[in-house]
Structures are given as C-alpha cells and as structure tokens.
Amino acid sequence: MKNTKIRRFLAIILVQVMCISVLMGIPVMAADSDFIIENGILTQYIGSGGDVIIPDGVTEIGKHEFNNTFGGSISWIGPFSESFTVTGITMPDSVIKISDMGFADCWKLEQITLSSGLMEIPYMAFLRCRELRTVIIPESITTIGSYAFGDCSKLETVNIMNPDVQIAADAFSMCGNLKTVTVAGNEIDLNSVNGVNRNQNNNQNNNENQSQNNRPSTQTRQEKAEAEWNSAIQNREYNDRYLAMNNILRENGVAPYYYENTIVTSDMQDLSDELCAGLATNLDKVTAIHEWIINNIYYDYASLYDGTLHTWTAQGVLDANRTVCNGYTILFQALCWAQGIPCVYVTGATTNGHHAWNLVELDGEWQWVDSTWNTFNRYYGNNTWVDGDKRLDYFLCPTMFISTDHGAKGFRTINGINANLTNQSYAETQKLIQEEEEKIKETMKQEQDELQKAAKNIAAAASAWAQSEISTAILEELALSDLCENFTPNITREEFCRLMVRLVEKCSGQDIDAYLKAKGLSVNNKFTDTSSAEAAAANALGIVYGKSETQFAPSNSITRQEAATMLARTAKLLGLQADTPVQFADRSTFASWATESINFVSGLVDSTSGYQVMGGVGNNTFLPNGTYSREQAIATALRLYRCTNFQKPPMEFL
C-alpha cells in the first residue's frame, strides 16, 4: 500500500460553568517563562496550569509544531491542546486570531475570556473540553467552525447573541447533554445541529458488563443503531465521491485472498472464544467482539505527538490496550477471523484525513464497521487513561450513512499467515509477527516502486524539464488524471480551480466540503455557465472570481499573471509567507492587480527543488500575459505543496 504523505474564536467570549466553579477560578498571572512566543505568536504553553493569563502583546494563539517518525513537521495542535491542568484562560485584547485546536482536550477548562479582537471560533477550538457547561457567545462573534465545541460532553446551554452568526452544522457534534441553543434569544431546533444528540444514552456502555448474560440483545442494539442512522442521514449530506468509491468496493465483492489468513495468536483465539461463547449467529458474535473493543481499547493520542507512532499488530494492541486506527482495524479483523467470519481491512479517506476501518461479511453481505470512530476512550501518555462515550453509528452501518464522511479506496490483508498454534509460545508468536512485518514492508516497497515506475511512464509525455516534478505530483496525488492525458494545452480557469482545490484538500487533510465547513463558508454557485463544484468552492475561498456576477468563463485559458494571482491567494489561504521577490526586468508590464501576487510567488521557494513556486521564463523576464500550460500548472502546484511542509502519517496509522 502506498505510504502517501499528506497529512486537521470574537469580541469577548465568556465560557461559564456552574457558579461555584466560576467563583473559585481567580486568575493568577503566569510567568512569561510559561510561554513560547515567536513574533507575537504563542506556539506553546509549558506552565503548571490553573487559571492562566496570557501576556499582553500576543497577537495569535498559534500551533505547536512537533516532529514525527515519518520525517515531517506537523503543525496541528494548539499551544493549550491536552493541557490537563489548565482551568481558566484570560487573553489580552492584542490577540486577533486563534488557530484550529487551540484549546482541544483541555479536560479541566472551566472558563475562558477571549480577546475583543477575535472574530471566529475555529475548527475544533474547544474539542473535548469536558468541564464546560454553559457557553455565552457575544454578538461580535460571526463564525463558529466545525467541531468548535465537539464532544464537550457536559455542555448543556449555548447562548449566541449574534443573529447573523454562521454556525457549522457539526459545531456541537457529540455534545450528548446539550439541551438548549439560542440565537439572539430564539431557541433553535437541536435537530438542525448535526450530531448533537447522537451520543445520548450511550453512557451506559462505559461500565457495561461484558458478560454474555448482561449484554443488551443484538436486536435491541441494532434497532437503536438503525434509529440513529435514520435520524443522522436526514441531517447529513452524503458525499457523491465517497458514495461512488464505497459502492465500487461493495459491488466488486471481496476475493477470498483478502480474508482467509491472518495472525491469530492463541491469546486472541482464547479472547474471541470467550466473547462468543454460547452465541449462535455471526451477527451476535460480531456484536460481542465490537463491544469489547470499543470498551477496552484506548485511542493512543500520545503516540501521535511523541514520535512513537508505529504499525500495530493485533497481538500488540491486545498487549498494550491502546492503538490508533490501523490497530483497531486489525484487531477487529483478527477476532472475527478467529471465529471464521470473513473480515477485511479497508483503507481510504475520511473528512478528518486518511483512515482504516473494516468490512465484515454477514449472511453473504459485506457490512461497514469503524471501531475507531465508535469509541472515545483516550490514552494521553504518562499512564493517563480517560474513559469516553461509546456509540453504534459506525457499526454495521449503511453505505449511505458511511458515505457522508468515509470514502474507501481499497482493502488488503494485514498479516498473511495463520499463526493459531495450540501450544504456541510467546517467542514463537513474536517471531511470526516480526517475519510478517518484514513481508509487509517488502510488499509496500515493491508497490511503491511500481507506483513510481508508472508515474514516470505517465510523466514521460511531458516536456523534459517538467517530467521529474510531474512524476512526483502524480505520486502525491496532486496531478489530476485528465490533465495528465495531454500536458501541453493551456490550462483553463476551471481546470486550474480543480488543481487548487485538490491542493487545499491535500494540505488540510480534509475533503473540500469539510474544509469549507471548518472555515464557516458555504458554497453558492451563482455562475450560469458552469456547474463545476471545484470552481464554486475556489470562488467561495477567494482563490478566483468570476468574469461577472453570473459568468465564470470556465473554458478560458489563463495568463501567467492570472496563474500567479490564484497561486498567491491559495498560498495565503494555507498560511504561507514569502521571502524576497525576484525583480523581473519586465515588471513595468505587470497589471496593477497582479504585481503583489507575482512578487509573492517569486519569493516563495520550494526548499526541496530550490525553485521558486513561479519564476521567470528566461532573461530575467516574467512575461505576465504569456500562456500557462497544464504541465506548468502541475509543477507549480507541487512546489506550493512542498512549501507548506505539511506531511501526515500514512493512512494505515491514523
């Protein structure tokens, strides 16, 4: 399987809890040494917690960068993310921006006063802040992003003062105790807030007795799950692309090669037999296996952040009681295989990034199961284990439902031998696992070599100067297939929009619809001459504008200065900053509206190749009104992608 690198609030907001909690929180000035601040951007909090006052002069609550074992630098957790000791936050008015996930997983955060200069509560800003009960959002706040208060399990009341506020559909997803949301004094229907109550009544599972006699009947759980699916589907729009991908996989069937063998150790066989004892049907057995996994296995957040992320084996998950998505997937697969139930490992993309989950065969029909997304048990390192809610949404769920946020790309066997030996020793098991891991690595290397060869063959039709970059762009899934059929034509406005939208998806790790939701944006295709979803999305993001209020001119070729303008807007959308621009000899010929953008993209350098994102055409000239080909566009998209330095772990590990 290819290891693709990809890989993710406004006046004053006062978040209150019970009166006694607020009265107990008396802010104490934190020492400047408690913060890492660079050019006014607070990137990391390293203090001891309590009620924290952020120093005056900080302009942005940024992101904390850390290195992972895959060689990339990932900027995707806020400076207060996972600060388990912080109970209160007070910001100076100098702060004008909070980055995504700025306060995610602040489990003890009870109150926060934000700067009057803020205008947005962004993506996952207060995700899993479990002590928040009442939130008052003043009139100055215009946007509440996707999952802004996701999984705030104690949140009961939200009062929003601005009647024109834009609220992402899933801003309060998984807030199981949320009872009231008012906007400008008017109570809104909770059913219009995606996911709010889908988690209710599942807390009983936290301490659910795992014995056969005390487990709820399969029929009861299935009826409950179906009710949740039907309700959720009414409030969720499925993704056409995901639906198509999932249907292709289901309709093509799964060959026996993919599910006949795996490493089923004696420990797993014993556990599977114990869970399924006395159960007559495969449905009952799969239900019991799934319940045990979501109640007993914890998502390993620590490994994502401390550089220890690795490929899990099923036995390894069983021994550690923690893992990430690939481990949940292979463990479910192995425990099913121990009962002779066909089950495969699915890889693909979700609205949160690359992912792995299962297909299991029951009564001749393949069913979707995502154990990872059905549990909120978390392990944060330092022996910190946190029990979370459980749900059934992604257990044997319909294709229509899972297609709202999961798109399957393929399936494969993880571990290809049967190691279920009656008297097998631990050492023998470990040897078999090590041998199989080496086989997996070799297979993945061979597949990567084949992909590289295929990419080079496709790129060979391009101009000599572009072949290497186009080959890499194909491997990075940046080069759109139809643009690779002929590299020499001038690229059109619509084609360039599609290329930029794909770039944004790669850099953000999100489907463009999810990215727009996270930004609090909605798409309104006002153009009468194109139905392109990508053109409408690029317009909503400010990457491109129409030729008039209703005309987009999708088939028009773009000039070099138009390309530079769209590239610069995309780069700024992704948070990039340029260095010294090239002083082109023909700069007096630049259109006034394009000069700043040309300067920007010529000062933005891809450190991998050393090329400017967009340079000159020779003799220190830019030729602003010159044409721009498909191969030039693909090459510059790759360079811009590399400038973001945004890399994600392979899909199997998330």
Side-chain angles (χ1 to χ4, degrees):
M1 179 62 63
K2 176 185 176 184
N3 287 340
T4 305
K5 294 180 180 177
I6 57 174
R7 234 169 201 5
R8 80 220 304 227
F9 223 139
L10 209 186
I12 296 177
I13 173 176
L14 179 63
V15 181
Q16 301 174 324
V17 294
M18 292 192 211
C19 292
I20 187 171
S21 298
V22 175
L23 293 173
M24 291 175 62
I26 302 175
V28 178
M29 179 68 74
D32 287 351
S33 59
D34 289 347
F35 308 93
I36 296 177
I37 302 171
E38 302 174 1
N39 299 320
I41 301 175
L42 172 57
T43 59
Q44 194 173 3
Y45 171 70
I46 54 177
S48 59
D51 293 327
V52 177
I53 297 179
I54 297 172
D56 192 23
V58 170
T59 59
E60 178 180 338
I61 308 301
K63 293 184 179 181
H64 169 45
E65 295 188 359
F66 62 96
N67 293 323
N68 65 43
T69 56
F70 305 101
S73 178
I74 301 179
S75 302
W76 58 320
I77 63 171
F80 291 92
S81 291
E82 302 174 354
S83 297
F84 301 120
T85 57
V86 173
T87 58
I89 296 284
T90 299
M91 293 184 190
D93 289 342
S94 57
V95 175
I96 60 175
K97 179 182 178 181
I98 299 176
S99 294
D100 299 345
M101 298 183 70
F103 302 92
D105 290 312
C106 288
W107 291 84
K108 295 186 178 181
L109 184 63
E110 300 173 352
Q111 62 175 6
I112 180 167
T113 301
L114 301 189
S115 163
S116 61
L118 294 168
M119 294 185 66
E120 179 186 11
I121 302 179
Y123 177 64
M124 290 188 177
F126 296 97
L127 181 73
R128 289 186 294 269
C129 291
R130 297 292 178 82
E131 291 302 318
L132 298 179
R133 288 177 171 82
T134 298
V135 177
I136 300 175
I137 303 178
E139 190 172 2
S140 57
I141 296 175
T142 61
T143 304
I144 303 175
S146 185
Y147 294 101
F149 294 92
D151 200 13
C152 291
S153 57
K154 294 183 181 179
L155 186 61
E156 297 179 352
T157 304
V158 178
N159 296 321
I160 304 169
M161 304 304 179
N162 187 345
D164 299 318
V165 67
Q166 293 186 349
I167 308 173
D170 49 8
F172 300 97
S173 180
M174 296 177 292
C175 294
N177 287 309
L178 188 58
K179 298 177 176 63
T180 306
V181 177
T182 60
V183 177
N186 298 313
E187 187 171 342
I188 66 174
D189 183 1
L190 289 180
N191 289 327
S192 67
V193 184
N194 178 33
V196 165
N197 288 323
R198 291 171 61 198
N199 217 37
Q200 282 188 331
N201 301 321
N202 280 340
N203 290 333
Q204 66 194 33
N205 296 330
N206 288 345
N207 300 307
E208 186 177 338
N209 189 311
Q210 294 302 306
S211 70
Q212 172 189 337
N213 292 334
N214 291 327
R215 187 170 55 247
S217 70
T218 300
Q219 185 63 32
T220 299
R221 294 184 65 98
Q222 283 299 108
E223 289 175 351
K224 179 181 172 186
E226 288 173 4
E228 290 177 351
W229 298 332
N230 292 334
S231 174
I233 289 174
Q234 297 300 317
N235 297 316
R236 292 166 54 143
E237 294 182 2
Y238 68 84
N239 182 304
D240 287 311
R241 182 172 61 181
Y242 284 178
L243 182 62
M245 293 162 68
N246 294 338
N247 282 338
I248 289 172
L249 183 60
R250 288 282 301 274
E251 290 169 3
N252 288 345
V254 180
Y257 164 80
Y258 289 101
Y259 59 83
E260 280 184 342
N261 299 311
T262 189
I263 291 182
V264 179
T265 65
S266 56
D267 286 347
M268 278 184 288
Q269 187 69 55
D270 290 344
L271 174 60
S272 185
D273 288 344
E274 178 183 349
L275 294 173
C276 299
L279 301 180
T281 69
N282 284 349
L283 174 59
D284 287 336
K285 293 176 182 178
V286 167
T287 301
I289 289 168
H290 173 262
E291 287 179 5
W292 187 90
I293 290 174
I294 66 173
N295 278 282
N296 291 278
I297 305 301
Y298 291 70
Y299 192 91
D300 189 4
Y301 268 91
S303 69
L304 293 177
Y305 302 146
D306 64 12
T308 62
L309 191 62
H310 66 282
T311 305
W312 287 90
T313 62
Q315 183 66 43
V317 177
L318 202 59
D319 293 339
N321 291 113
R322 57 185 172 86
T323 186
V324 289
C325 75
N326 85 297
Y328 278 99
T329 304
I330 188 175
L331 179 60
F332 180 80
Q333 181 185 45
L335 292 174
C336 287
W337 275 350
Q339 299 302 311
I341 301 172
C343 182
V344 297
Y345 182 109
V346 179
T347 59
T350 72
T351 50
N352 289 341
H354 284 200
H355 190 50
W357 62 98
N358 295 104
L359 274 174
V360 62
E361 187 181 34
L362 296 173
D363 297 326
E365 182 180 0
W366 289 95
Q367 307 268 10
W368 304 102
V369 177
D370 189 341
S371 304
T372 313
W373 280 30
N374 277 341
T375 182
F376 297 92
N377 288 342
R378 300 291 188 246
Y379 174 71
Y380 292 99
N382 299 320
N383 204 31
T384 303
W385 305 80
V386 180
D387 288 331
D389 296 327
K390 315 298 185 300
R391 62 183 181 183
L392 295 172
D393 301 46
Y394 297 91
F395 175 63
L396 308 182
C397 59
T399 297
M400 182 70 77
F401 177 87
I402 203 167
S403 297
T404 61
D405 43 33
H406 287 56
K409 290 188 176 180
F411 44 79
R412 64 189 180 92
T413 296
I414 297 291
N415 302 329
I417 60 174
N418 192 329
N420 182 22
L421 307 178
T422 304
N423 298 316
Q424 183 173 291
S425 68
Y426 177 81
E428 290 171 328
T429 297
Q430 293 304 111
K431 181 180 178 181
L432 287 168
I433 290 173
Q434 183 178 358
E435 290 174 351
E436 190 57 27
E437 286 179 336
E438 292 300 321
K439 291 179 183 179
I440 293 172
K441 290 178 182 177
E442 180 60 29
T443 299
M444 293 175 70
K445 182 180 183 302
Q446 291 175 357
E447 292 179 350
Q448 185 67 21
D449 290 343
E450 292 174 0
L451 286 168
Q452 290 176 345
K453 182 178 179 180
K456 287 181 179 180
N457 289 337
I458 295 171
S463 300
W465 68 267
Q467 290 178 7
S468 177
E469 288 182 297
I470 288 178
S471 177
T472 302
I474 292 171
L475 292 171
E476 294 288 0
E477 299 179 348
L478 286 166
L480 304 174
S481 58
D482 60 319
L483 302 187
C484 293
E485 294 174 359
N486 189 345
F487 294 108
T488 57
N490 296 332
I491 195 163
T492 67
R493 284 166 54 80
E494 185 175 301
E495 289 171 344
F496 200 82
C497 286
R498 290 170 51 219
L499 199 60
M500 292 300 98
V501 165
R502 183 66 186 125
L503 175 63
V504 170
E505 289 182 323
K506 287 287 292 181
C507 291
S508 67
Q510 294 179 292
D511 175 271
I512 194 61
D513 293 334
Y515 183 81
L516 286 163
K517 283 184 179 180
K519 292 291 182 181
L521 298 173
S522 59
V523 176
N524 178 19
N525 190 355
K526 57 187 177 182
F527 304 116
T528 59
D529 57 349
T530 180
S531 59
S532 169
E534 291 88 351
N539 177 249
L541 291 168
I543 295 173
V544 66
Y545 301 106
K547 292 295 185 178
S548 70
E549 284 297 317
T550 60
Q551 296 297 299
F552 186 78
S555 300
N556 284 13
S557 298
I558 63 174
T559 64
R560 287 177 53 79
Q561 61 184 356
E562 288 174 330
T565 300
M566 285 188 270
L567 284 165
R569 290 169 180 165
T570 305
K572 292 175 182 178
L573 181 68
L574 297 173
L576 296 179
Q577 295 181 345
D579 293 325
T580 305
V582 175
Q583 296 300 311
F584 292 107
D586 58 347
R587 59 185 179 275
S588 62
T589 65
F590 298 170
S592 58
W593 51 264
T595 300
E596 191 276 335
S597 292
I598 296 173
N599 289 339
F600 190 94
V601 294
S602 69
L604 202 57
V605 178
D606 168 14
S607 60
T608 302
S609 66
Y611 297 145
Q612 289 113 354
V613 166
M614 195 169 176
V617 296
N619 298 321
N620 195 35
T621 59
F622 185 79
L623 197 63
N625 292 310
T627 58
Y628 208 58
S629 67
R630 287 177 172 178
E631 62 186 9
Q632 289 173 317
I634 294 171
T636 51
L638 173 67
R639 296 172 193 175
L640 182 52
Y641 173 64
R642 285 170 165 171
C643 287
T644 64
N645 195 30
F646 190 98
Q647 297 177 328
K648 287 189 172 181
M651 68 178 77
E652 293 90 291
F653 302 152
L654 295 183

